[in-house]
Amino acid sequence: MSALARQPTHLLAAVVLSLALTLAFPALIARAQDAPATESVIYTVAPGDTLFEIAQRFGVTLESLIAANSIANADLLEVGQILVIPSPVDVPEATEPAAAFYAYAQPGETPLSLAQRIGQDAAAIAALNSLPETARLFPGQPVRIPVAHASPDSGAFGAVLNVSRPGSLVQGRTGRVVVDTKRPLDLSADWNGLPIAFTPQEGNPLRQFAFLPVPALLEPVSYPLTIAYPAANGVSLRRTWPVAVVEGDYERQEINLPPDRGVLLAPEIVQEELALVTAVWSQVSPTLLWTEPFSRPIDLEYPTTSPFGTRRSYNGGPYSGYHEGQDFGAPTGVTVTVPADGIVALVEPLNVRGNAVILDHGRGVFTGYWHLEETALQTGQPVAAGDVVGLVGNTGLSTGAHLHWELRIYGIAVDPMQFLEEPFSP
Ligand SMILES: [Zn+2]
């Protein structure tokens, strides 16, 4: 019997059963009518569909689907029948990962592009949702994500769909954590007691990233990384993971300072200067100011003479200090350039660092340039990559002309060369 021939019988049955349902489940019908008006999705029934599967596919309850369409008999679906899909029930927010979770399609997305966006397997998503990988999705359409991917490994919790985080980090290097969310969230993180600022990816408020700087002398064990956001009820939802810190491959260097240099390094001079620069690079400005990868601040012909992170012992003491920047050997007068867009945060003649410039690149990322011969920059001035910082010199506590280049994130000195090697731009 064709579907067309069956239809009149079913329509009659539907009317009869609709009445029966109204009588049997008045509360159900009333609830549907009382529900606040929200955006609905229209679905056309395809061959082989059942109401139960459709409800599952759209992440709605069977009851709400029946109520929204005043369906009398769930077994009497017709191919081509139009169903109103009620607003999906939010996945309950909990600190534990849900048994299954949903991603919501953005305009123009297919299961394939959605899978790429949230970093999941497209074939698994397509199979689970009985959709071709290239099917056009409705904006906001809930798409089931395989349960296996909702395991603790995905980092999912509450409205957080995926947390891409490093399993381990190297002393003195910078990690990156990327979080995909169901809706724009006010994310924050705590990395071993250090508050971490998230930045939304340009054009995608559902993806945010943050830098995880690792102090160069941090003991190589595991430390907690906590990601949190305020839920609608005012409760802070959070998850914590251990992130292992592993030892960096840094050299050791013994430095013997002559007695007159010891006078220059009087503790109060060092401390006062440190307080001044620390006050500058401890700030976290609201926007990330660069979009391109960092460029080398000095021409390639001037090589590294002392890399970042070298452990230093002074006059036979313990290796309790380290080189907080990268030194490039160059004669006085060589041009130093801005590696990435930013704002000039400090221009000062200092005792230890000499003529110093600090640039603010936004979101807690700063670069420093010490021992300059001169600079024409002024505090508060915006700078673009390639602009002149100043000229190499031998000012301050320096035993020969060179550029000391430093990169700080939330005040923590990290290897600046990593920003030349890896695409850290958003
Ligand atoms: Zn140096």
Side-chain angles (χ1 to χ4, degrees):
M1 201 188 281
S2 78
L4 206 67
R6 269 163 48 192
Q7 204 163 355
T9 326
H10 288 168
L11 275 176
L12 182 64
V15 170
V16 171
L17 284 162
S18 180
L19 279 169
L21 188 81
T22 310
L23 294 170
F25 303 105
L28 194 79
I29 305 297
R31 197 172 66 197
Q33 285 162 352
D34 292 344
T38 47
E39 268 188 44
S40 295
V41 168
I42 302 298
Y43 179 76
T44 307
V45 177
D49 273 343
T50 68
L51 268 186
F52 180 70
E53 282 167 0
I54 293 168
Q56 274 207 319
R57 195 179 303 162
F58 286 91
V60 300
T61 62
L62 186 58
E63 290 87 337
S64 69
L65 189 59
I66 288 170
N69 294 278
S70 304
I71 291 169
N73 186 333
D75 295 323
L76 298 182
L77 274 187
E78 293 294 342
V79 172
Q81 184 176 342
I82 303 294
L83 291 179
V84 174
I85 309 296
S87 291
V89 178
D90 256 15
V91 179
E93 292 186 349
T95 49
E96 288 305 310
F101 73 100
Y102 297 87
Y104 294 84
Q106 293 181 354
E109 272 192 330
T110 63
L112 180 63
S113 62
L114 179 140
Q116 286 167 345
R117 173 168 60 86
I118 65 169
Q120 303 279 12
D121 179 48
I125 290 174
L128 186 67
N129 292 277
S130 308
L131 290 166
E133 285 185 22
T134 53
R136 180 94 169 194
L137 299 169
F138 299 105
Q141 179 173 338
V143 176
R144 291 190 81 198
I145 305 303
V147 174
H149 293 288
S151 71
D153 288 340
S154 76
F157 69 102
V160 169
L161 297 176
N162 193 68
V163 177
S164 166
R165 61 197 184 279
S168 66
L169 291 167
V170 181
Q171 288 175 325
R173 303 280 286 187
T174 303
R176 219 171 99 126
V177 58
V178 182
V179 179
D180 291 302
T181 60
K182 200 166 74 176
R183 57 175 191 271
L185 295 180
D186 182 16
L187 289 177
S188 62
D190 180 295
W191 164 229
N192 188 34
L194 183 75
I196 300 292
F198 275 93
T199 302
Q201 192 177 57
E202 210 176 348
N204 182 7
L206 301 182
R207 171 166 284 183
Q208 301 185 48
F209 69 94
F211 296 117
L212 300 178
V214 185
L217 295 176
L218 190 64
E219 194 193 343
V221 295
S222 282
Y223 296 92
L225 168 67
T226 299
I227 295 177
Y229 72 91
N233 58 5
V235 175
S236 172
L237 280 184
R238 55 185 59 227
R239 272 198 71 183
T240 300
W241 302 266
V243 178
V245 168
V246 298
E247 201 156 335
D249 182 22
Y250 298 114
E251 298 192 350
R252 284 164 186 267
Q253 182 183 18
E254 259 188 54
I255 293 175
N256 292 305
L257 292 169
D260 62 323
R261 288 283 172 179
V263 172
L264 256 177
L265 280 170
E268 57 273 19
I269 293 175
V270 175
Q271 287 306 316
E272 194 183 318
E273 186 175 313
L274 184 62
L276 177 72
V277 291
T278 300
V280 172
W281 62 47
S282 299
Q283 301 165 70
V284 180
S285 50
T287 44
L288 205 67
L289 299 172
W290 84 95
T291 51
E292 301 295 320
F294 277 48
S295 59
R296 211 171 189 271
I298 194 166
D299 198 275
L300 260 174
E301 71 176 281
Y302 305 108
T304 294
T305 48
S306 178
F308 169 86
T310 303
R311 268 68 167 141
R312 283 176 169 175
S313 153
Y314 292 93
N315 297 335
Y319 287 91
S320 54
Y322 68 100
H323 189 214
E324 296 179 337
Q326 186 90 0
D327 286 353
F328 302 99
T332 294
V334 168
T335 303
V336 176
T337 52
V338 173
D341 295 0
I343 289 172
V344 179
L346 175 137
V347 180
E348 285 275 339
L350 301 172
N351 288 301
V352 179
R353 293 165 180 81
N355 291 327
V357 168
I358 298 177
L359 303 180
D360 180 358
H361 302 285
R363 300 311 272 157
V365 179
F366 291 82
T367 50
Y369 309 79
W370 313 155
H371 314 301
L372 298 173
E373 176 68 11
E374 60 173 68
T375 175
L377 294 178
Q378 291 185 341
T379 304
Q381 177 185 342
V383 287
D387 286 356
V388 174
V389 172
L391 304 179
V392 170
N394 187 25
T395 56
L397 189 61
S398 171
T399 53
H402 75 286
L403 169 68
H404 171 107
W405 182 41
E406 195 161 308
L407 194 146
R408 299 252 169 188
I409 304 179
Y410 316 125
I412 293 169
V414 288
D415 187 354
M417 301 306 274
Q418 192 186 353
F419 276 68
L420 306 184
E421 297 157 5
E422 294 178 22
F424 269 111
S425 55

